[in-house]
PDB file of all heavy atoms in Angstrom:
ATOM      1  N   ILE A  47     -92.856   0.812-140.249  1.00 80.00           N
ATOM      2  CA  ILE A  47     -92.789   1.078-138.813  1.00 80.00           C
ATOM      3  C   ILE A  47     -92.890   2.578-138.564  1.00 80.00           C
ATOM      4  O   ILE A  47     -93.618   3.029-137.684  1.00 80.00           O
ATOM      5  CB  ILE A  47     -91.496   0.501-138.218  1.00 80.00           C
ATOM      6  CG1 ILE A  47     -91.569  -1.014-138.203  1.00 80.00           C
ATOM      7  CG2 ILE A  47     -91.258   1.049-136.812  1.00 80.00           C
ATOM      8  CD1 ILE A  47     -90.275  -1.695-137.841  1.00 80.00           C
ATOM      9  N   LYS A  48     -92.128   3.367-139.343  1.00 77.00           N
ATOM     10  CA  LYS A  48     -92.158   4.814-139.167  1.00 77.00           C
ATOM     11  C   LYS A  48     -93.530   5.382-139.507  1.00 77.00           C
ATOM     12  O   LYS A  48     -93.962   6.357-138.901  1.00 77.00           O
ATOM     13  CB  LYS A  48     -91.095   5.480-140.051  1.00 77.00           C
ATOM     14  CG  LYS A  48     -89.676   5.192-139.647  1.00 77.00           C
ATOM     15  CD  LYS A  48     -89.315   5.862-138.363  1.00 77.00           C
ATOM     16  CE  LYS A  48     -88.980   7.305-138.628  1.00 77.00           C
ATOM     17  NZ  LYS A  48     -88.614   8.036-137.440  1.00 77.00           N
ATOM     18  N   ALA A  49     -94.215   4.796-140.475  1.00 75.00           N
ATOM     19  CA  ALA A  49     -95.501   5.319-140.923  1.00 75.00           C
ATOM     20  C   ALA A  49     -96.634   4.980-139.964  1.00 75.00           C
ATOM     21  O   ALA A  49     -97.674   5.643-139.987  1.00 75.00           O
ATOM     22  CB  ALA A  49     -95.828   4.789-142.310  1.00 75.00           C
ATOM     23  N   SER A  50     -96.429   3.962-139.154  1.00 73.00           N
ATOM     24  CA  SER A  50     -97.506   3.607-138.228  1.00 73.00           C
ATOM     25  C   SER A  50     -97.681   4.724-137.209  1.00 73.00           C
ATOM     26  O   SER A  50     -96.719   5.227-136.637  1.00 73.00           O
ATOM     27  CB  SER A  50     -97.215   2.274-137.544  1.00 73.00           C
ATOM     28  OG  SER A  50     -96.094   2.392-136.712  1.00 73.00           O
ATOM     29  N   ASP A  51     -98.885   5.098-137.025  1.00 57.00           N
ATOM     30  CA  ASP A  51     -99.180   6.231-136.152  1.00 57.00           C
ATOM     31  C   ASP A  51     -99.294   5.745-134.720  1.00 57.00           C
ATOM     32  O   ASP A  51    -100.270   5.105-134.347  1.00 57.00           O
ATOM     33  CB  ASP A  51    -100.462   6.919-136.587  1.00 57.00           C
ATOM     34  CG  ASP A  51    -100.764   8.152-135.780  1.00 57.00           C
ATOM     35  OD1 ASP A  51     -99.849   8.713-135.165  1.00 57.00           O
ATOM     36  OD2 ASP A  51    -101.936   8.555-135.780  1.00 57.00           O
ATOM     37  N   MET A  52     -98.303   6.058-133.923  1.00 57.00           N
ATOM     38  CA  MET A  52     -98.310   5.641-132.529  1.00 57.00           C
ATOM     39  C   MET A  52     -98.770   6.776-131.612  1.00 57.00           C
ATOM     40  O   MET A  52     -98.780   6.636-130.407  1.00 57.00           O
ATOM     41  CB  MET A  52     -96.916   5.163-132.115  1.00 57.00           C
ATOM     42  CG  MET A  52     -96.422   3.969-132.916  1.00 57.00           C
ATOM     43  SD  MET A  52     -97.532   2.553-132.847  1.00 57.00           S
ATOM     44  CE  MET A  52     -97.195   1.979-131.208  1.00 57.00           C
ATOM     45  N   SER A  53     -99.157   7.914-132.182  1.00 48.00           N
ATOM     46  CA  SER A  53     -99.538   9.055-131.355  1.00 48.00           C
ATOM     47  C   SER A  53    -100.831   8.807-130.580  1.00 48.00           C
ATOM     48  O   SER A  53    -101.041   9.389-129.531  1.00 48.00           O
ATOM     49  CB  SER A  53     -99.668  10.303-132.214  1.00 48.00           C
ATOM     50  OG  SER A  53    -100.705  10.136-133.154  1.00 48.00           O
ATOM     51  N   ASP A  54    -101.679   7.948-131.117  1.00 52.00           N
ATOM     52  CA  ASP A  54    -102.940   7.688-130.415  1.00 52.00           C
ATOM     53  C   ASP A  54    -102.852   6.427-129.562  1.00 52.00           C
ATOM     54  O   ASP A  54    -103.865   5.866-129.170  1.00 52.00           O
ATOM     55  CB  ASP A  54    -104.083   7.588-131.414  1.00 52.00           C
ATOM     56  CG  ASP A  54    -103.959   6.382-132.331  1.00 52.00           C
ATOM     57  OD1 ASP A  54    -102.831   5.887-132.531  1.00 52.00           O
ATOM     58  OD2 ASP A  54    -104.996   5.938-132.844  1.00 52.00           O
ATOM     59  N   LEU A  55    -101.645   6.002-129.229  1.00 55.00           N
ATOM     60  CA  LEU A  55    -101.472   4.788-128.439  1.00 55.00           C
ATOM     61  C   LEU A  55    -102.165   4.899-127.095  1.00 55.00           C
ATOM     62  O   LEU A  55    -102.801   3.955-126.632  1.00 55.00           O
ATOM     63  CB  LEU A  55     -99.979   4.496-128.239  1.00 55.00           C
ATOM     64  CG  LEU A  55     -99.637   3.227-127.473  1.00 55.00           C
ATOM     65  CD1 LEU A  55    -100.178   2.016-128.226  1.00 55.00           C
ATOM     66  CD2 LEU A  55     -98.146   3.109-127.281  1.00 55.00           C
ATOM     67  N   ASN A  56    -102.081   6.050-126.461  1.00 53.00           N
ATOM     68  CA  ASN A  56    -102.716   6.234-125.156  1.00 53.00           C
ATOM     69  C   ASN A  56    -104.225   6.023-125.230  1.00 53.00           C
ATOM     70  O   ASN A  56    -104.831   5.536-124.280  1.00 53.00           O
ATOM     71  CB  ASN A  56    -102.405   7.631-124.606  1.00 53.00           C
ATOM     72  CG  ASN A  56    -102.751   7.751-123.149  1.00 53.00           C
ATOM     73  OD1 ASN A  56    -102.598   6.805-122.392  1.00 53.00           O
ATOM     74  ND2 ASN A  56    -103.240   8.908-122.759  1.00 53.00           N
ATOM     75  N   ASP A  57    -104.837   6.374-126.346  1.00 57.00           N
ATOM     76  CA  ASP A  57    -106.283   6.193-126.501  1.00 57.00           C
ATOM     77  C   ASP A  57    -106.659   4.719-126.635  1.00 57.00           C
ATOM     78  O   ASP A  57    -107.786   4.345-126.334  1.00 57.00           O
ATOM     79  CB  ASP A  57    -106.790   6.951-127.728  1.00 57.00           C
ATOM     80  CG  ASP A  57    -106.611   8.449-127.579  1.00 57.00           C
ATOM     81  OD1 ASP A  57    -106.569   8.925-126.423  1.00 57.00           O
ATOM     82  OD2 ASP A  57    -106.484   9.128-128.612  1.00 57.00           O
ATOM     83  N   ARG A  58    -105.741   3.915-127.096  1.00 61.00           N
ATOM     84  CA  ARG A  58    -106.037   2.503-127.297  1.00 61.00           C
ATOM     85  C   ARG A  58    -105.688   1.641-126.097  1.00 61.00           C
ATOM     86  O   ARG A  58    -106.008   0.460-126.072  1.00 61.00           O
ATOM     87  CB  ARG A  58    -105.277   1.987-128.523  1.00 61.00           C
ATOM     88  CG  ARG A  58    -105.778   2.611-129.816  1.00 61.00           C
ATOM     89  CD  ARG A  58    -105.073   2.044-130.992  1.00 61.00           C
ATOM     90  NE  ARG A  58    -103.737   2.646-131.054  1.00 61.00           N
ATOM     91  CZ  ARG A  58    -102.753   2.195-131.793  1.00 61.00           C
ATOM     92  NH1 ARG A  58    -102.922   1.137-132.531  1.00 61.00           N
ATOM     93  NH2 ARG A  58    -101.590   2.796-131.805  1.00 61.00           N
ATOM     94  N   VAL A  59    -105.013   2.210-125.105  1.00 58.00           N
ATOM     95  CA  VAL A  59    -104.629   1.453-123.915  1.00 58.00           C
ATOM     96  C   VAL A  59    -105.872   1.192-123.080  1.00 58.00           C
ATOM     97  O   VAL A  59    -106.759   2.030-122.956  1.00 58.00           O
ATOM     98  CB  VAL A  59    -103.573   2.240-123.106  1.00 58.00           C
ATOM     99  CG1 VAL A  59    -103.296   1.563-121.778  1.00 58.00           C
ATOM    100  CG2 VAL A  59    -102.289   2.370-123.903  1.00 58.00           C
ATOM    101  N   ASN A  60    -105.905   0.033-122.487  1.00 59.00           N
ATOM    102  CA  ASN A  60    -107.019  -0.339-121.612  1.00 59.00           C
ATOM    103  C   ASN A  60    -107.180   0.729-120.518  1.00 59.00           C
ATOM    104  O   ASN A  60    -106.218   1.059-119.839  1.00 59.00           O
ATOM    105  CB  ASN A  60    -106.700  -1.705-120.990  1.00 59.00           C
ATOM    106  CG  ASN A  60    -107.850  -2.264-120.181  1.00 59.00           C
ATOM    107  OD1 ASN A  60    -108.642  -1.513-119.624  1.00 59.00           O
ATOM    108  ND2 ASN A  60    -107.921  -3.578-120.118  1.00 59.00           N
ATOM    109  N   PRO A  61    -108.388   1.259-120.323  1.00 61.00           N
ATOM    110  CA  PRO A  61    -108.598   2.321-119.325  1.00 61.00           C
ATOM    111  C   PRO A  61    -108.127   1.944-117.927  1.00 61.00           C
ATOM    112  O   PRO A  61    -107.638   2.785-117.183  1.00 61.00           O
ATOM    113  CB  PRO A  61    -110.107   2.560-119.355  1.00 61.00           C
ATOM    114  CG  PRO A  61    -110.533   2.100-120.698  1.00 61.00           C
ATOM    115  CD  PRO A  61    -109.611   0.965-121.070  1.00 61.00           C
ATOM    116  N   SER A  62    -108.249   0.678-117.547  1.00 62.00           N
ATOM    117  CA  SER A  62    -107.812   0.277-116.202  1.00 62.00           C
ATOM    118  C   SER A  62    -106.300   0.400-116.068  1.00 62.00           C
ATOM    119  O   SER A  62    -105.792   0.702-114.973  1.00 62.00           O
ATOM    120  CB  SER A  62    -108.256  -1.148-115.891  1.00 62.00           C
ATOM    121  OG  SER A  62    -107.649  -2.046-116.803  1.00 62.00           O
ATOM    122  N   LEU A  63    -105.569   0.214-117.142  1.00 58.00           N
ATOM    123  CA  LEU A  63    -104.120   0.392-117.087  1.00 58.00           C
ATOM    124  C   LEU A  63    -103.746   1.859-116.956  1.00 58.00           C
ATOM    125  O   LEU A  63    -102.791   2.199-116.273  1.00 58.00           O
ATOM    126  CB  LEU A  63    -103.451  -0.210-118.334  1.00 58.00           C
ATOM    127  CG  LEU A  63    -103.527  -1.719-118.484  1.00 58.00           C
ATOM    128  CD1 LEU A  63    -102.931  -2.146-119.818  1.00 58.00           C
ATOM    129  CD2 LEU A  63    -102.817  -2.412-117.328  1.00 58.00           C
TER     130      LEU A  63
END
Side-chain angles (χ1 to χ4, degrees):
I47 289 171
K48 292 290 280 180
S50 66
D51 184 21
M52 299 304 285
S53 63
D54 66 336
L55 182 61
N56 194 36
D57 296 334
R58 293 183 284 166
V59 172
N60 186 331
S62 62
L63 293 175

